[in-house]
Amino acid sequence: MEIGIDSFAATKSQSSGHNAVADMQEMDNLLERIVLADQAGLAVFGLGEHHRREFLDSASSLILAAAAARTKNIKLTSAVTVLSAADPVRVFQSFATLDIISKGRAEMVVGRGSFIEAFPLFGYDLDDYDALFTEKLDLLLKIRDNERVDWSGKFRAPLQNAPIYPRPVQEPLPIWVGVGGTPQSFVRAGMLGLPLMVAVIGGETHRFKPLVDLYREAGAKAGHPEEKLQVGLHSLGYIAQTSQQARDEFFPGYAEVFTRIGKERGWGPVTRAQFDAQNGPTGALLVGSPQEVAEKIRRHSEALGGITRFTFQMDNANLPHDKLMNSIELIGKEIVPLLK
């Protein structure tokens, strides 16, 4: 199983308006964490895509390219690219360029995004939420598999024998589909034979098993071999020497972030009791000691019928840089060996 980190490039300047000095420091810190993840033996580092004040990841491929120049082994991926609001040609060109810079370590996870700011920002209608993604994923895969492309659709100008450059080092460039809880998304990924990254940020992870089964069944019916139908899991997590320490350090920022998001989405404020329950044996959060979290990852894998990748999302809990660095070291030194 591959173990990695996902980040949204959270910035501390979010509450006081734009602060260039703070943003530069946060970016330096983020790149330092990616370098450490590489040195610690983690398999992958992913960056999200948001268009909000509190995150610096609106151009994730640029950040990943900077990281590529400083790292040697770690895979570098989006987590996720909001493909519905992007031009598949430019997305492919950006990640093909990243693949060249990184000498074959680029990947992307494409999805529709859990925030909606990208749609009005780039002139798209939310009523076309699913149709946009379906059409653009079709074009992206055609570009990946063909140097010259003939294509037409509803939301973009047609391409006629159009050459798309540069071409990546990897053939094919790995493309995962990021999903939440929509059954159609799982089925679509299976029919296309694409690896699946399941984002579980709340509830109980084992409840996603029927959806993962739909993915595998759709892939098998479409004739894709079992080894091609990989499943990854993305969850909020954080590691410290003891479970109590990890939860005490993670909770304040977690509560602040999810209470704020909750106001936008009609949720109530986050309580410590809810947080502790989510850290129970079947809950979605993986906040604790190395031994406890490794056992929980193994338990989640068994519940979902086997996963090939797990990524921790930890930096939107407003944790200091030094604590995030320590958590990455613990993941590399203790969790990775335990799961091997």
Side-chain angles (χ1 to χ4, degrees), residues 33 63 92-93 97 107 139 153 159 179 238 246 258 292 320 328:
R33 293 197 292 273
I63 303 172
F92 181 83
Q93 290 173 327
T97 302
E107 297 187 358
L139 175 54
L159 298 171
V179 295
Y238 173 69
F258 279 88
E292 179 188 29
I328 291 170

Side-chain angles (χ1 to χ4, degrees), residues 285-312:
L285 299 182
L286 287 95
V287 180
S289 68
Q291 181 67 42
E292 179 188 29
V293 170
E295 291 174 358
K296 194 168 184 180
I297 292 172
R298 190 176 293 112
R299 190 159 55 246
H300 282 347
S301 179
E302 292 170 355
L304 296 179
I307 63 174
T308 58
R309 176 178 292 182
F310 179 85
T311 56
F312 290 87

Side-chain angles (χ1 to χ4, degrees), residues 186-253:
F186 286 78
V187 171
R188 175 168 45 214
M191 291 177 64
L192 293 170
L194 296 174
L196 186 76
M197 179 56 70
V198 186
V200 182
I201 60 172
E204 295 180 306
T205 300
H206 69 271
R207 292 184 177 178
F208 281 76
K209 178 62 160 54
L211 295 173
V212 173
D213 287 345
L214 281 177
Y215 163 72
R216 292 188 168 116
E217 290 166 7
K221 287 180 181 178
H224 299 294
E226 184 177 344
E227 61 271 16
K228 194 175 181 180
L229 301 172
Q230 300 180 56
V231 177
L233 179 62
H234 157 109
S235 296
L236 294 163
Y238 173 69
I239 312 301
Q241 290 291 348
T242 69
S243 293
Q244 188 66 47
Q245 177 189 352
R247 290 166 189 165
D248 289 345
E249 291 175 353
F250 194 81
F251 174 72

Side-chain angles (χ1 to χ4, degrees), residues 28 35 72 83 91 132 168 171 180-181 183 188 220 253 256 283 297 313 329-330 337:
D28 282 345
V35 170
K72 295 181 179 179
L83 187 61
V91 168
L132 279 163
E171 292 290 354
R188 175 168 45 214
E256 189 275 325
I297 292 172
Q313 165 62 35
E329 285 188 334
L330 288 172

Side-chain angles (χ1 to χ4, degrees), residues 8-28:
F8 294 165
T11 175
K12 301 293 192 298
S13 68
Q14 57 189 275
S15 59
S16 56
H18 178 247
N19 183 324
V21 173
D23 287 350
M24 287 190 292
Q25 184 61 60
E26 289 300 329
M27 192 63 73
D28 282 345

Side-chain angles (χ1 to χ4, degrees), residues 4 13 28 35-36 49 71 80 126 129 145 173 204 210 212 220 236 253 258 333 336 338:
S13 68
D28 282 345
V35 170
L36 178 61
E49 178 193 336
T71 55
V80 303
L126 272 173
Y129 186 75
D145 297 337
L173 182 70
E204 295 180 306
V212 173
L236 294 163
F258 279 88
K333 291 180 179 178
V336 170
L338 284 170

Side-chain angles (χ1 to χ4, degrees), residues 24-171:
M24 287 190 292
Q25 184 61 60
E26 289 300 329
M27 192 63 73
D28 282 345
N29 289 347
L30 173 60
L31 291 170
E32 188 176 350
R33 293 197 292 273
I34 301 174
V35 170
L36 178 61
D38 183 43
Q39 295 171 344
L42 273 63
V44 60
F45 202 105
L47 279 175
E49 178 193 336
H50 300 83
H51 303 271
R52 301 165 64 92
R53 172 187 288 181
E54 61 263 39
F55 303 120
L56 297 173
D57 61 352
S58 63
S60 61
S61 64
L62 292 179
I63 303 172
L64 293 170
R70 303 185 187 191
T71 55
K72 295 181 179 179
N73 300 307
I74 197 165
K75 297 175 183 177
L76 300 166
T77 185
S78 58
V80 303
T81 294
V82 184
L83 187 61
S84 304
D87 182 350
V89 174
R90 293 299 285 158
V91 168
F92 181 83
Q93 290 173 327
S94 295
F95 281 85
T97 302
L98 173 63
D99 203 44
I100 294 168
I101 294 170
S102 66
K103 298 180 175 62
R105 293 184 283 127
E107 297 187 358
M108 68 177 89
V109 181
V110 297
R112 296 176 295 186
S114 62
F115 292 94
I116 62 172
E117 289 81 6
F119 290 84
L121 184 63
F122 296 109
Y124 293 104
D125 191 332
L126 272 173
D127 289 340
D128 297 322
Y129 186 75
D130 190 64
L132 279 163
F133 183 74
T134 301
E135 178 175 298
K136 293 191 175 192
L137 180 58
D138 174 68
L139 175 54
L140 180 64
L141 294 176
K142 280 186 169 59
I143 295 169
R144 181 183 72 164
D145 297 337
N146 301 277
E147 192 170 323
R148 288 183 173 270
V149 176
D150 287 293
W151 180 91
S152 63
K154 177 181 178 181
F155 301 105
R156 190 200 187 281
L159 298 171
Q160 296 181 348
N161 196 31
I164 310 296
Y165 301 110
R167 305 306 297 180
V169 174
Q170 300 177 85
E171 292 290 354

